[in-house]
């Protein structure tokens, strides 16, 4: 039996996928409310294909509990934030999950850590716990998750995976467990290499997005069309630039590269500058808003609305979202917060929030497209007559960042 610890954005789909492919799975989370919701047959977040997977897993006998189980395999998928000041990984959730596992784990159990951690974290923060508890019999493994919100179920099935283990034979056993559902290639390596690959993958994307954002600023400065330029450059066989945007959100690309800056401050220069570039984008958008208002002779900020609150399109996840960052930066100007609407955020989470697109558009003259949800792409005609600042190049004739 596999005990999946932490039933969030990664642990839940992983538990459901394994169960639906015939693995005996118990999911554990200390959040009683979350377990109660799952046990009433409700899924806890929106994601393509997750509802169906949930049903399959329930039919296959998956269980959700708050207690850690006595079993031979544990998969830990709890969050790893970073310390805002030191920029280093904050491994306290993983540390406390591991300590709890050790209270019940039998001899020679395998402990797989899926949570993203910086290179060396398992050696520095996890192995010493095993030593202190006299539990060197436990097989430590790192299997960093790679799935992208918005396409998680497909990617869980098809992405290649990395398994880092002290002992190659144990790595192969865990690879076999993942192969019960994963159709991609599974590479077995050592733990530190696995830790580094995960952080490097997200850093690669962060640096590439920062490059696109910097190009957007250069093009804005000299009145060039950044989208046309990127499109033409990407027709070169060895160029693949990502897209500029209003900032980088989510719990991965806006967080993981900081681990490298925190651990190697004198070496990770390009990464540090890239993260600062991305973090500065929401404030850049706000300045664009002020500039466009000036140009159009508009004075009333209460007539400006932000479309989209989530960190990217068609997901309901708001963590580190550029819109929240923009509002935070606006707060510093002591203004009345801008109006906001997002079809995926049904609860009231901030001031001036709308729950109906028509009502939102009725109350404003100036719309900033912060997130390119399908909803707005399908309703472009509703923007007729409005001033539009489009941060994603989806609305013909709109202002760009
Ligand atoms: N973004 C841009 N321009 C782009 C692409 C993205 O501004 O061209 C922005 C998005 O709007 C969003 C942020 O970047 O705010 C991140 O979105 P994303 O779709 O690039 O990635 P995440 O954070 O949802 O998921 C990433 C993925 N990593 C990589 O693609 C290397 C995913 O595979 C990882 O599993 C995930 O991080 C994770 O959990 O680490």
């Amino acid at each position: 039996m596999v005990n999946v610890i932490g039933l969030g954005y990664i642990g839940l789909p992983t538990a459901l996928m394994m169960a639906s492919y015939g693995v005996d799975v118990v999911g554990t989370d200390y959040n009683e409310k979350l377990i109660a919701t799952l046990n009433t047959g409700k899924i806890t977040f929106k994601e393509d294909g997750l509802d169906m997977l949930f049903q399959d897993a329930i039919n296959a006998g998956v269980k959700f509990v708050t207690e850690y189980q006595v079993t031979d395999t544990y998969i830990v998928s709890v969050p790893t934030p970073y310390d805002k000041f030191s920029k280093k990984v904050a491994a306290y959730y993983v540390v406390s999950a591991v300590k709890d596992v050790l209270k019940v784990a039998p001899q020679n159990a395998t402990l797989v850590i899926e949570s993203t951690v910086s290179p060396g974290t398992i050696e520095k923060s996890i192995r010493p716990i095993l030593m202190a508890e006299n539990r060197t019999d436990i097989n430590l493994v790192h299997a960093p998750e790679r799935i992208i919100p918005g396409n998680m179920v497909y990617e869980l099935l098809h992405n290649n995976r990395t398994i880092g283990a002290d002992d190659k034979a144990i790595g192969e056993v865990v690879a076999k467990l993942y192969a019960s559902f994963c159709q991609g290639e599974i590479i077995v390596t050592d733990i530190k290499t696995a830790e580094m690959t995960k952080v490097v993958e997200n850093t690669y994307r962060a640096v590439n997005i920062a490059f696109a954002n910097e190009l957007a600023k250069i093009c804005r400065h000299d009145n060039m069309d950044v989208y046309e330029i990127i499109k033409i450059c990407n027709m070169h066989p060895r160029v693949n630039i990502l897209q500029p945007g209003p900032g980088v959100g989510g719990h991965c690309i806006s967080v993981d590269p900081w681990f490298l800056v925190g651990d190697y401050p004198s070496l990770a220069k390009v990464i540090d500058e890239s993260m600062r570039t991305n973090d500065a984008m929401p404030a850049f958008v706000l300045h664009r808003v002020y500039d466009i208002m000036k140009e159009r002779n508009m004075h009333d900020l209460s007539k400006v609305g932000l479309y989209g609150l989530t960190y990217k399109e068609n997901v309901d996840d708001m963590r580190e979202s550029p819109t929240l960052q923009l509002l935070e930066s606006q707060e510093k100007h002591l203004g009345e917060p801008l109006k906001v609407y997002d079809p995926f955020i049904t609860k009231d989470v901030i001031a001036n929030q709308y729950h109906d697109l028509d009502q939102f558009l009725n109350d404003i003259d100036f719309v900033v497209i912060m997130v390119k949800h399908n909803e707005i792409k399908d309703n472009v005609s509703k923007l007729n007559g409005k001033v539009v600042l489009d941060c994603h190049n989806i609305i013909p004739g709109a202002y760009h960042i």
Side-chain angles (χ1 to χ4, degrees):
M1 185 247 281
V2 174
N3 189 194
V4 177
I5 314 293
L7 297 175
Y9 287 96
I10 301 303
L12 184 62
T14 303
L16 300 180
M17 187 60 86
M18 282 192 170
S20 67
Y21 274 79
V23 179
D24 186 10
V25 177
V26 176
T28 296
D29 199 296
Y30 69 14
N31 181 341
E32 289 174 14
K33 227 171 115 194
L34 183 134
I35 294 298
T37 308
L38 292 172
N39 282 328
T40 55
K42 284 201 207 97
I43 200 83
T44 39
F45 64 96
K46 283 191 204 132
E47 179 65 38
D48 249 9
L50 198 62
D51 277 324
M52 232 164 78
L53 187 65
F54 188 51
Q55 277 319 314
D56 289 349
I58 288 184
N59 296 340
V62 69
K63 291 189 186 65
F64 307 110
V65 299
T66 50
E67 301 81 28
Y68 287 64
Q69 304 296 297
V70 178
T71 186
D72 53 2
T73 310
Y74 298 87
I75 295 181
V76 173
S77 43
V78 294
T80 38
Y82 74 98
D83 182 274
K84 287 251 179 346
F85 294 103
S86 70
K87 309 290 189 204
K88 288 176 190 274
V89 67
Y92 46 83
Y93 289 122
V94 183
V95 165
S96 104
V98 167
K99 282 185 179 162
D100 287 342
V101 164
L102 293 186
K103 287 182 193 151
V104 293
Q107 280 284 308
N108 302 318
T110 296
L111 175 53
V112 182
I113 293 170
E114 277 217 17
S115 310
T116 305
V117 289
S118 55
T121 301
I122 292 183
E123 200 53 42
K124 274 184 286 199
S125 303
I126 306 300
R127 205 179 299 282
I129 305 172
L130 304 189
M131 308 289 246
E133 303 271 331
N134 232 346
R135 291 305 307 268
T136 44
D137 59 291
I138 296 283
N139 302 303
L140 261 185
V141 175
H142 183 41
E145 60 86 10
R146 273 179 162 171
I147 53 179
I148 195 147
N151 199 24
M152 283 179 155
V153 175
Y154 177 89
E155 290 207 351
L156 203 46
L157 277 173
H158 294 97
N159 284 3
N160 303 323
R161 305 245 1 181
T162 319
I163 308 280
D166 295 330
D167 176 342
K168 201 115 188 154
I170 295 290
E172 295 296 345
V173 171
V174 173
K176 220 167 145 196
L177 169 66
Y178 280 89
S180 63
F181 65 89
C182 171
Q183 297 168 25
E185 200 175 321
I186 304 178
I187 301 277
V188 177
T189 182
D190 61 89
I191 290 179
K192 195 167 181 179
T193 303
E195 291 174 320
M196 184 64 170
T197 57
K198 167 67 202 215
V199 177
V200 167
E201 288 159 12
N202 280 351
T203 303
Y204 167 83
R205 204 159 161 83
V207 170
N208 196 338
I209 294 169
F211 178 59
N213 284 333
E214 187 163 291
L215 291 179
K217 285 186 179 171
I218 293 173
C219 291
R220 168 64 35 227
H221 182 73
D222 229 357
N223 207 19
M224 293 181 272
D225 181 346
V226 68
Y227 297 104
E228 177 79 353
I229 288 162
I230 291 178
K231 190 176 91 193
I232 295 170
C233 291
N234 282 350
M235 292 168 82
H236 184 290
R238 280 172 298 283
V239 175
N240 184 17
I241 306 168
L242 291 176
Q243 293 298 306
V248 170
H251 43 296
C252 316
I253 294 183
S254 66
V255 175
D256 302 352
W258 283 124
F259 300 165
L260 294 179
V261 177
D263 284 350
Y264 311 101
S266 62
L267 300 173
K269 296 291 187 203
V270 171
I271 303 168
D272 188 7
E273 200 52 53
S274 299
M275 295 303 278
R276 289 177 201 281
T277 301
N278 292 338
D279 283 356
M281 286 314 286
F284 181 76
V285 173
L286 190 58
H287 279 109
R288 275 297 280 151
V289 171
Y290 293 147
D291 284 349
I292 295 167
M293 286 180 77
K294 217 157 126 193
E295 180 188 323
R296 307 286 294 222
N297 211 9
M298 298 169 87
H299 303 286
D300 190 357
L301 263 184
S302 74
K303 289 289 184 185
V304 181
L306 305 175
Y307 177 89
L309 246 176
T310 59
Y311 87 89
K312 68 175 185 182
E313 66 278 12
N314 307 321
V315 299
D316 63 1
D317 187 344
M318 293 193 306
R319 283 177 293 177
E320 321 279 333
S321 101
T323 303
L324 293 176
Q325 294 177 45
L326 187 152
L327 289 169
E328 208 175 290
S329 126
Q330 194 211 348
E331 243 173 50
K332 291 183 191 137
H333 299 261
L334 296 176
E336 165 80 351
L338 300 174
K339 297 191 161 66
V340 186
Y341 162 79
D342 191 304
F344 284 84
I345 306 298
T346 47
K347 279 192 193 137
D348 260 324
V349 287
I350 47 168
N352 289 342
Q353 191 186 341
Y354 285 70
H355 297 285
D356 180 87
L357 177 62
D358 293 329
Q359 227 171 38
F360 168 68
L361 292 176
N362 247 335
D363 284 1
I364 57 178
D365 299 329
F366 186 163
V367 195
V368 186
I369 307 294
M370 295 293 288
V371 186
K372 52 176 189 245
H373 290 308
N374 287 343
E375 184 207 45
I376 197 67
K377 290 189 188 166
D378 296 340
N379 284 287
V380 173
S381 61
K382 292 191 174 175
L383 299 173
N384 284 346
K386 309 269 178 221
V387 175
V388 181
L389 169 57
D390 175 10
C391 302
H392 295 283
N393 195 28
I394 55 164
I395 314 288
Y399 284 98
H400 288 154
I401 47 174

